[in-house]
Amino acid sequence: MTNSNSTTQPSVLIPQSSAWPAVDVVVVNYNTGGYIADCLSSLLNMEYPNLNITVVDNASSDGSADLIARDFPSVQLLRSERNLGFAGGCNLGMRAG
């Protein structure tokens, strides 16, 4: 007779980082100087090994694009000359990824 309450947990194998699918994150930025650093820091602290981060700056005037370029060199920054809106920024970021 087997005990239905006892279960055996399968062992989990974590593949090498090259085996993880690439994940592209697109962040659309427009004058978010007060928030963007926390957002990008959180993304960069993730333990996922194959993460690419792209920020599309929608013609910000608050210096947030310069902050990103200066403080987050591993993030791809795309500067749009005009505000493309959220969907346009997402599309630009996806084309670049």
Side-chain angles (χ1 to χ4, degrees), residues 4 10 12 14 20-22 40 44 46 48 54 61 69-70 72-74 81 91-92:
S4 62
V12 177
I14 298 176
W20 290 75
L40 295 177
L44 291 169
M46 292 184 63
Y48 194 83
T54 300
S61 59
R70 181 187 68 238
F72 299 95
S74 64
E81 293 180 3
N91 289 337
L92 180 60

Side-chain angles (χ1 to χ4, degrees), residues 9-33:
Q9 295 293 326
S11 61
V12 177
L13 298 176
I14 298 176
Q16 298 294 326
S17 64
S18 62
W20 290 75
V23 173
D24 293 316
V25 175
V26 175
V27 177
V28 179
N29 179 63
Y30 180 71
N31 292 334
T32 61

Side-chain angles (χ1 to χ4, degrees), residues 75-94:
V75 170
Q76 180 183 16
L77 174 62
L78 302 175
R79 296 180 191 233
S80 177
E81 293 180 3
R82 62 184 181 87
N83 190 331
L84 302 172
F86 181 73
C90 287
N91 289 337
L92 180 60
M94 292 306 296

